[in-house]
């Protein structure tokens, strides 16, 4: 017994479902048989595969379904698929007019056109699968770049804070140097003032030096 998966359907799962179902339609099989085969391959129930096909996947492959049905009719005409028996109910029923049988050249050309259409659909499915993988790869790369940008932004913020701290220390140092320079100049001026000679005028109008 195949275990029934409960996880979400992926693009690859949808592609397998489409490929198998289109093959069964083209080869004259039933959709139920297709769903059972897909269920075996994906580990899902046939009912789940049928629901997924009818609700989501089928509408994306309308053109491919039409081509597969047309191909099935051609295979029936060529005898590769046995048509179901038809029981006549009344002998005197007027038979519908027979369709004109195409010439061998027309039949070959028609078959080639059908094969080309089928190949085109298959290439489309493959390209869609490859595109989906490429998109996922780009999403992973984008997540990596976003994480790298976040780390660089945080590192830049830390460096800016450190620079602000260093700038603050430099400002304090320059202020201290200016204070020391003013103190040195003040002390020098006071020393010069203390070394200056003092004179006074005597009674006769002469200047005489006063000793400190």
């Amino acid at each position: 017994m195949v275990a029934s998966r409960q996880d979400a359907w992926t693009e690859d799962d949808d592609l397998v479902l489409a490929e198998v179902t289109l093959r069964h339609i083209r080869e004259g099989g039933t959709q139920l048989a297709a769903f059972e085969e897909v269920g075996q391959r994906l580990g899902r129930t046939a009912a789940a595969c049928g629901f997924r096909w009818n609700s989501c996947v089928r509408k994306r492959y309308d053109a491919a379904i039409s081509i597969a049905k047309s191909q099935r009719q051609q295979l029936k005409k060529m005898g590769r698929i046995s048509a179901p028996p038809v029981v006549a109910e009344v002998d005197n029923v007027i038979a519908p007019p027979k369709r004109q049988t195409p010439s061998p050249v027309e039949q070959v050309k028609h078959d080639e056109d059908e094969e080309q259409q089928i190949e085109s659909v298959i290439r489309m499915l493959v390209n869609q699968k490859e595109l989906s993988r490429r998109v996922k790869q780009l999403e992973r790369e984008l997540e990596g770049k976003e994480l790298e940008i976040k780390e660089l932004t945080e590192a830049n913020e830390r460096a800016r804070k450190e620079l602000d701290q260093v700038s603050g220390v430099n400002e304090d140092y320059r202020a201290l140097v200016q204070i020391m320079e003013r103190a040195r100049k003040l002390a020098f001026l006071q020393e010069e003032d203390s070394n200056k000679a003092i004179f006074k005028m005597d009674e006769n109008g002469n200047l005489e030096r006063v000793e400190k």
Side-chain angles (χ1 to χ4, degrees):
M1 181 177 179
V2 180
S4 177
R5 291 171 51 185
Q6 300 295 329
D7 55 322
W9 285 75
T10 65
E11 288 292 334
D12 290 345
D13 293 344
D14 287 345
L15 185 58
V16 171
L17 177 58
E19 289 177 344
V20 174
T21 305
L22 289 172
R23 173 166 54 81
H24 276 262
I25 293 174
R26 184 172 63 252
E27 295 176 355
T30 64
Q31 290 189 3
L32 178 59
F35 300 153
E36 290 176 349
E37 179 180 340
V38 175
Q40 290 290 332
R41 293 175 60 175
L42 300 182
R44 300 181 184 273
T45 63
C49 296
F51 180 80
R52 180 68 178 180
W53 170 257
N54 291 317
S55 62
C56 300
V57 181
R58 180 188 179 92
K59 57 187 176 182
R60 301 204 302 261
Y61 295 95
D62 286 339
I65 292 171
S66 298
I67 294 173
K69 289 180 178 179
S70 178
Q71 183 71 11
R72 179 181 61 193
Q73 295 298 326
Q74 294 300 320
L75 292 174
K76 285 183 179 179
K77 291 179 181 179
M78 298 171 63
R80 297 182 183 178
I81 298 177
S82 58
V86 178
V87 179
E89 297 181 354
V90 182
D91 294 336
N92 59 355
V93 174
I94 300 175
K98 295 183 178 180
R99 296 178 60 183
Q100 184 178 1
T101 303
S103 66
V105 175
E106 293 175 342
Q107 183 66 42
V108 170
K109 185 176 184 304
H110 187 274
D111 292 344
E112 290 178 351
D113 292 340
E114 292 290 341
E115 291 293 340
Q116 290 176 358
Q117 291 176 343
I118 293 296
E119 291 176 359
S120 177
V121 172
I122 293 175
R123 285 196 299 270
M124 180 189 68
L125 295 175
V126 173
N127 291 336
Q128 181 180 0
K129 183 177 181 180
E130 183 63 27
L131 179 61
S132 175
R133 291 178 178 175
R134 180 58 179 165
V135 168
K136 291 179 181 179
Q137 180 182 357
L138 291 175
E139 289 176 348
R140 289 193 295 268
E141 293 178 357
L142 179 59
E143 291 177 357
K145 294 297 182 182
E146 290 177 347
L147 179 60
E148 183 178 352
I149 291 174
K150 181 180 178 181
E151 293 175 350
L152 291 174
T153 302
E154 293 175 351
N156 182 64
E157 183 65 20
R158 289 194 298 270
R160 187 186 64 79
K161 291 181 179 179
E162 293 176 358
L163 180 60
D164 291 342
Q165 293 176 356
V166 173
S167 299
V169 172
N170 290 338
E171 291 294 333
D172 294 341
Y173 178 74
R174 281 196 293 270
L176 179 60
V177 170
Q178 291 175 356
I179 293 172
M180 294 177 63
E181 182 66 18
R182 287 197 296 270
R184 187 184 66 78
K185 290 180 179 180
L186 181 61
F188 179 75
L189 292 175
Q190 290 177 352
E191 183 179 355
E192 285 185 347
D193 292 340
S194 63
N195 293 332
K196 288 182 180 179
I198 300 175
F199 296 90
K200 71 177 181 175
M201 186 176 293
D202 58 11
E203 296 176 353
N204 298 323
N206 297 322
L207 293 175
E208 61 180 3
R209 183 172 182 175
V210 178
E211 297 295 337
K212 295 181 180 181

